[in-house]
Amino acid sequence: MNIGVFDSGFGGLTVMRALLEQIPQADYMYLGDTARLPYGAKSQATVARYAVSSARFLVEQGADYLVIACNTASALALDAIRDAVRVPVLGVIETGANAALASTTTSDVLVMATAATVESHAYRDACHERGLRAWEKACPLLVPLVEEGWIDHPVTEEVLRIYLDELAAETAAQSLNPDTLVLGCTHYPLLRRNIERAVPASIRVIDSADVTAAQVAAAIPADALAGPTGDRIRLFYATDSVAKFRRLGAAFLGQPIEEVTLIDLGG
């Protein structure tokens, strides 16, 4: 089984990290479309075109299963990707909504995400389909703080406090009783411990990376994963900034990235 993982940048490596932990016997390819990020500032048509070209590349390289580890692409282009390739495709928004459904007892769910994901209301809609109410909060400053490496920095702690205070006030005004918080951006798992310390103990924090890996593991037939776990294929592709990919990617993946292949997917 060869699993292809796609993101517009580095954040999807948190999903690949969880996949490696839960499904070590698979081969993996990761593509970060670093030349064309951020996706969040682009139209739905452009995001779909970029995401489809990236998905097709991974399938052409031999991917048997695709994980769209990009919330923006999952929100805006999942149907287009599924129409374009002939392998199973899983997006992180549907896995996050499934995990929220399994977690909540109040049916009120919080979502922290980027502005583009919030504006798409993809989490709200996915949760609504499952009988849940979701309150989405855009937290645009968290991604650059994570990429700067300021995980335990006082500035990051203060930004988190402000966002969470605003979120608490907004949900109180809506008379919501949330017991689950979904991390709706693949950068945010690096801040999970910070967030868990800052929210009430009654709120469970859902890491979309972990639940995505669990749902991939459940979807793949056991016989497709037969064989040894050692010496598996791990390939990394980027459309720009290979040196930066290796440096930042290691923090997201939790291990060194020795080689990244530069590819050109066009404009």
Side-chain angles (χ1 to χ4, degrees):
M1 171 62 66
N2 193 322
I3 300 174
V5 183
F6 161 67
D7 188 18
S8 60
F10 316 100
L13 288 164
T14 60
V15 176
M16 185 168 176
R17 179 177 184 170
L19 286 164
L20 288 168
E21 292 171 353
Q22 296 190 39
I23 319 175
Q25 62 270 50
D27 293 329
Y28 289 92
M29 296 182 293
Y30 181 93
L31 170 57
D33 191 9
T34 46
R36 302 188 291 198
L37 61 77
Y39 279 16
K42 297 176 173 64
S43 69
Q44 180 172 0
T46 298
V47 170
R49 177 161 52 87
Y50 289 174
V52 164
S53 68
S54 298
R56 283 176 171 160
F57 172 82
L58 288 171
V59 172
E60 288 166 1
Q61 301 307 304
D64 304 303
Y65 193 105
L66 287 184
V67 178
I68 310 305
C70 173
N71 282 270
T72 302
S74 294
L76 301 180
L78 195 61
D79 288 342
I81 295 169
R82 285 175 169 157
D83 289 342
V85 298
R86 295 185 177 181
V87 302
V89 179
L90 185 67
V92 288
I93 288 176
E94 55 193 340
T95 62
N98 288 339
L101 177 62
S103 167
T104 185
T105 58
T106 67
S107 296
D108 289 340
V109 175
L110 306 176
V111 180
M112 297 173 65
T114 63
T117 299
V118 168
E119 288 168 6
S120 76
H121 294 304
Y123 273 104
R124 181 198 65 186
D125 295 344
C127 287
H128 179 73
E129 290 173 359
R130 292 158 175 81
L132 309 178
R133 292 191 296 176
W135 188 263
E136 302 160 305
K137 178 66 176 176
C139 305
L141 294 178
L142 295 183
V143 167
L145 289 170
V146 169
E147 293 196 352
E148 191 66 28
W150 289 13
I151 303 302
D152 293 311
H153 196 283
V155 171
T156 304
E157 297 291 339
E158 179 65 10
V159 169
L160 269 176
R161 185 192 64 78
I162 293 170
Y163 281 146
L164 291 170
D165 284 351
E166 291 176 351
L167 189 53
E170 292 163 5
T171 53
Q174 297 294 318
S175 300
L176 299 178
N177 182 28
D179 64 352
T180 299
L181 169 61
V182 178
L183 303 182
C185 172
T186 50
H187 281 66
Y188 297 177
L190 274 70
L191 298 171
R192 179 175 182 172
R193 288 183 298 174
N194 313 59
I195 294 169
E196 287 177 330
R197 289 194 300 264
V199 299
S202 59
I203 294 181
R204 181 185 179 192
V205 178
I206 300 293
D207 180 346
S208 57
D210 285 339
V211 299
T212 297
Q215 291 183 43
V216 173
I220 295 177
D223 58 357
L225 298 173
T229 59
D231 298 324
R232 308 306 302 175
I233 296 172
R234 310 283 188 258
L235 299 176
F236 299 90
Y237 300 95
T239 53
D240 193 18
S241 307
V242 168
K244 183 179 180 181
F245 188 104
R246 285 198 301 265
R247 176 174 55 83
L248 278 179
F252 287 88
L253 190 63
Q255 58 184 269
I257 299 176
E258 302 297 337
E259 184 176 350
V260 180
T261 301
L262 181 66
I263 62 169
D264 183 2
L265 295 178

